[in-house]
Amino acid sequence: MKTQRFGPDLLRGSLDLMVLSILAGGSTYGYELQQRLRDASTNLVQIQAGTLYPLLHRLETDGLIRSRWESSTGRKRKWYDLTAAGKRRLTTQTQEWDRYVACIQSVLAPVRAALPEPA
């Protein structure tokens, strides 16, 4: 059975949180960030460069991340780091997301109870 990825509407509201979460694990560059996100989500989230780089640019403009050019890997790459403001936003969004998930689970509880048992 093939695992189905999340739809774009669901991802749109949570990509900032996911990217900030990956950056909380340390500095990274774009391609590595894509891989870390894919690995952390067990292949359910595969963000394309055309989505990732504008998002990173916006997060940097908002002061949540900072970037620097470095060639320590033998190739010049733009590395991204979480700022103090980014850490605060990550904490706030994580708490908000946890409340949201609990709310959705509560709303869906009667639906789950009525679903047939898996075969």
Side-chain angles (χ1 to χ4, degrees):
M1 181 173 153
K2 185 178 177 184
T3 304
Q4 195 167 7
R5 294 187 194 135
F6 300 114
D9 290 339
L10 187 57
L11 287 176
R12 194 173 297 116
S14 56
L15 276 179
D16 286 11
L17 177 61
M18 287 189 263
V19 168
L20 293 175
S21 178
I22 296 297
L23 289 173
S27 298
T28 189
Y29 53 92
Y31 180 72
E32 184 179 57
L33 195 150
Q34 287 174 300
Q35 289 184 313
R36 286 185 187 180
L37 184 54
R38 186 173 49 241
D39 292 347
S41 70
T42 60
N43 290 321
L44 293 174
V45 178
Q46 296 186 18
I47 185 172
Q48 301 300 313
T51 300
L52 177 63
Y53 290 103
L55 185 148
L56 289 170
H57 180 72
R58 183 177 47 75
L59 292 175
E60 188 170 17
T61 299
D62 292 347
L64 303 177
I65 65 173
R66 67 179 149 260
S67 66
R68 69 184 186 287
W69 286 98
E70 193 176 294
S71 56
S72 62
T73 59
R75 181 177 171 193
K76 192 172 183 179
R77 291 190 164 115
K78 194 171 191 178
W79 288 76
Y80 299 91
D81 295 288
L82 204 54
T83 63
K87 290 176 186 175
R88 288 190 300 273
R89 174 75 59 86
L90 176 59
T91 298
T92 302
Q93 282 189 338
T94 298
Q95 293 167 344
E96 184 177 22
W97 185 256
D98 287 343
R99 287 192 317 273
Y100 181 73
V101 168
C103 173
I104 293 292
Q105 288 176 335
S106 178
V107 169
L108 293 178
V111 175
R112 280 196 190 103
L115 290 174
E117 292 292 321

